Amino acid sequence: MQLVDIPVLVTGGASGLGAATARRLAQAGARVAVLDIQLDAAQSLAQAIGGLAVHCDVTRTESLEAALLHAEAAHGPARLLVNCAGGGAPARIVGKDGPMPMEAFRRILELNLIGAFNATRLAAAKMMTLDPLADGERGAIVFTTSAAAYEAQVGQAAYAAAKGGLTSLTLQMAREFAPFGIRAMAIAPGIFDTPLLQTASEAVRASLAAAIPFPSRLGQPDEFAEQVVNIARCAYLNGETIRLDGAIRLAPR
């Protein structure tokens, strides 16, 4: 689809990969709604890119429903949803203090897997009612998965389960939505220079970069954002997860 004047939703859009994606989509001419639990940061970014800031907690259905209605009232029904909300602290299945609390496992699945699924089902239901574009497409949905979906490290049980779930959903969703002209894609980033890594020491950052075959550096959020734009524009991309990782394969630790 051509992105000029196309309404788009970016969850987790106030920082990191989501913020870079929101900026790049706005540069391409899209009407961008920045959905994030951090409303102040979302408002700052939205003002800079000419977009719309909407408070949204993807772990709460009522918050998602209200956010999508707000965005639709301002920009029209979305034809592109980019799910960037996510995160989570590492924890072993059985650590020094015993088994991982089930609430900790559930919390990471709620944020990364269930939140993305919830946003997707709500946005897709609306996309199905839209008139098709010139090429027959009605919309597209992008998941943010992770290299951890393939080579999960020690301590990443919950995160890997969530990202692996999104990876598995991508093809299933593409098949289910195909009759409606809605595509489903995912991007699996490797080690990216996000706000979390920016707090690490230079020695840690250099060590991480050296582990990446080529180019031996941290991924840049703008590179992720460029892939989102390419996915939106190329209608033949469907049902696939694109690894964006400089050919790294994560070690056990």
Side-chain angles (χ1 to χ4, degrees):
M1 71 179 75
Q2 296 304 309
L3 288 166
V4 176
D5 288 332
I6 291 292
V8 305
L9 307 167
V10 183
T11 71
S15 65
L17 301 180
T21 298
R23 288 191 195 95
R24 183 65 186 87
L25 288 168
Q27 290 170 1
R31 287 177 274 175
V32 181
V34 181
L35 277 56
D36 205 289
I37 198 168
Q38 304 174 76
L39 184 56
D40 288 346
Q43 288 174 331
S44 178
L45 176 60
Q47 184 175 15
I49 66 174
L52 173 72
V54 184
H55 179 268
C56 181
D57 179 351
V58 299
T59 67
R60 295 175 55 237
T61 296
E62 61 271 26
S63 179
L64 267 169
E65 290 174 335
L68 267 59
L69 285 173
H70 185 173
E72 181 178 347
H75 287 169
R79 289 190 183 269
L80 174 64
L81 167 65
V82 187
N83 290 287
C84 288
R92 290 174 179 256
I93 299 170
V94 181
K96 293 179 181 178
D97 298 325
M100 177 193 294
M102 280 307 302
E103 180 54 36
F105 186 84
R106 288 192 185 98
R107 187 164 55 246
I108 291 176
L109 261 67
E110 284 280 353
L111 175 59
N112 292 277
L113 174 60
I114 298 173
F117 178 81
N118 208 358
T120 294
R121 72 182 184 92
L122 295 172
K126 188 66 179 184
M127 287 179 194
M128 289 176 183
T129 70
L130 303 180
D131 292 333
L133 300 172
D135 60 359
E137 185 175 15
R138 285 187 171 86
I141 294 160
V142 180
F143 286 143
T144 303
T145 67
S146 169
Y150 302 95
E151 307 102 29
Q153 296 181 298
V154 171
Q156 288 187 317
Y159 188 74
K163 296 302 186 179
L166 292 176
T167 301
S168 295
L169 269 173
T170 301
L171 178 58
Q172 186 280 330
M173 201 162 65
R175 289 171 164 172
E176 184 169 327
F177 292 166
F180 302 97
I182 298 171
R183 294 182 293 122
M185 286 288 294
I187 303 172
I191 304 173
F192 268 65
D193 196 8
T194 58
L196 178 62
L197 274 186
Q198 288 165 9
T199 65
S201 68
E202 283 304 315
V204 168
R205 289 164 58 85
S207 175
L208 290 170
I212 301 168
F214 186 82
S216 295
R217 59 168 174 78
L218 303 180
Q220 296 302 307
D222 285 346
E223 293 173 308
F224 177 92
E226 194 60 39
Q227 286 302 310
V228 173
V229 170
N230 184 50
I231 287 169
R233 287 176 170 164
C234 182
Y236 212 60
L237 284 171
N238 196 13
E240 186 58 84
T241 299
I242 299 172
R243 288 192 67 140
L244 191 64
D245 58 19
I248 195 171
R249 296 299 179 264
L250 301 178
R253 290 178 177 81

